[in-house]
Amino acid sequence: MTIVVTGATGTVGRLVVRQLVDSGRKVRAVTRGGAPFPTPIEVVRADLDTPESLTSAFTGAEALLLLCRPATALDVARLAERCGVRRIVTLSSIRAEGERDAPYHLAVERAVESVDVAWTHLRPGMFAANLLGWAEAIRGTGVVREPYSAAAQTPIHEADIAAVAVAALSHDGHAGRKYPLSGPQTLDKPEQLAAIGAGIGRALRFEEISPDDWRARADSLPGFVQDLLLEIWTGSAATPEPVLPTVAEVTGRPARTLAEWAADHAADFGGDPR
């Protein structure tokens, strides 16, 4: 079986490639820049924004990990079907169900569902990797300043998202499934920071600031991103996000903790890499 991975150099894609190779699968890695990969990985330079560029990547493949590109998703899905791809796994979002008025991830899911392939949608919540936004402050002062300290989320290790993707790409029994994914712990912001501290062996401190002060500090983020984050934080402060069992159910192993994630990213936070 040849499996195509789009976004093969991304946060999740690179781990999907690695885990597929480790499991003995034949992998075709799609990148826009033609980044090098070790053998036996086949690399195809193509772009989801230009569907016709993907023909050689899809031809002869049986399964596809598809990133979210709503503008071209239907054309890409139809091309994959014509090229003989029989299974598509989308990297979607746990927020997809709430996008009916302004669909983004949901549009990609619907595009894939409209063609004659088996599909599985992965819907992760908060990526633990989002916390790399704290790395500069942790490296510098060890103090993180943000609003809504009570915002309680379930950060998920990108390796666990990849493991679920590999299962859905490689094995039967996942067709027609929508998999909401979370980490194994609901943690507010000080608890998230403490878990990072435990993972890298440092004492860290969280200080709550007002949303306006945070906006002034976060001026490098587009306004719509600031708005989205504040919406998520206020929502999860009022209603903490639940822990979901999906990772363990699909992979047969518990989801990795945030401290484990931090240990894996120790170098990003100024610590010694494992």
Side-chain angles (χ1 to χ4, degrees):
M1 171 189 284
T2 296
I3 299 175
V4 177
V5 179
T6 61
T9 60
T11 300
V12 175
R14 62 185 175 81
L15 295 177
V16 172
V17 169
R18 183 188 307 168
Q19 293 180 24
L20 285 169
V21 171
D22 289 346
S23 67
R25 303 291 178 174
K26 184 177 179 181
V27 180
R28 193 172 288 164
V30 176
T31 73
R32 286 185 294 184
F37 283 86
T39 55
I41 300 168
E42 180 184 356
V43 180
V44 177
R45 184 170 182 173
D47 192 335
L48 286 169
D49 292 331
T50 310
E52 59 271 19
S53 71
L54 293 157
T55 301
S56 62
F58 291 169
T59 301
E62 298 175 49
L64 164 66
L65 177 67
L66 182 62
L67 294 189
C68 190
R69 289 286 194 282
T72 60
L74 184 57
D75 289 337
V76 170
R78 286 172 173 169
L79 176 64
E81 180 189 14
R82 290 198 301 272
C83 290
V85 173
R86 305 310 307 155
R87 180 178 297 169
I88 298 179
V89 176
T90 67
L91 184 56
S92 184
S93 168
I94 205 164
R95 297 172 64 82
E97 288 293 346
E99 295 178 337
R100 298 188 184 280
D101 293 332
Y104 186 79
H105 299 91
L106 189 62
V108 176
E109 293 185 5
R110 287 173 170 169
V112 170
E113 291 170 17
S114 74
V115 299
D116 187 19
V117 300
W119 55 263
T120 308
H121 303 317
L122 308 188
R123 291 176 165 181
M126 175 189 174
F127 281 39
N130 292 354
L131 296 172
L132 291 173
W134 290 353
E136 183 177 355
I138 288 172
R139 289 194 304 267
T141 64
V143 179
V144 170
R145 298 176 175 89
E146 278 191 353
Y148 299 109
S149 62
Q153 296 182 266
T154 55
I156 183 170
H157 197 308
E158 59 271 18
D160 287 328
I161 302 171
V164 175
V166 167
L169 289 163
S170 305
H171 303 291
D172 295 333
H174 303 282
R177 301 295 299 273
K178 301 175 182 180
Y179 285 138
L181 305 174
S182 80
Q185 301 162 296
T186 300
L187 303 170
D188 63 24
K189 289 188 178 183
E191 290 169 338
Q192 291 169 27
L193 188 61
I196 292 173
I200 65 174
R202 284 187 59 192
L204 306 172
R205 188 171 81 254
F206 187 89
E207 293 183 359
E208 183 165 10
I209 60 176
S210 72
D212 288 342
D213 285 346
W214 174 77
R215 282 187 184 275
R217 293 168 179 264
D219 58 357
S220 62
L221 293 176
F224 77 92
V225 174
Q226 295 181 20
D227 292 342
L228 177 61
L229 288 174
L230 290 171
E231 176 189 339
I232 291 171
W233 293 339
T234 55
S236 60
T239 306
E241 295 178 356
V243 171
L244 304 171
T246 321
V247 171
E249 290 174 348
V250 174
T251 68
R253 60 171 302 279
R256 296 165 175 87
T257 66
L258 186 58
E260 291 176 293
W261 173 85
D264 289 340
H265 290 270
D268 296 306
F269 295 106
D272 293 327
R274 290 206 309 197

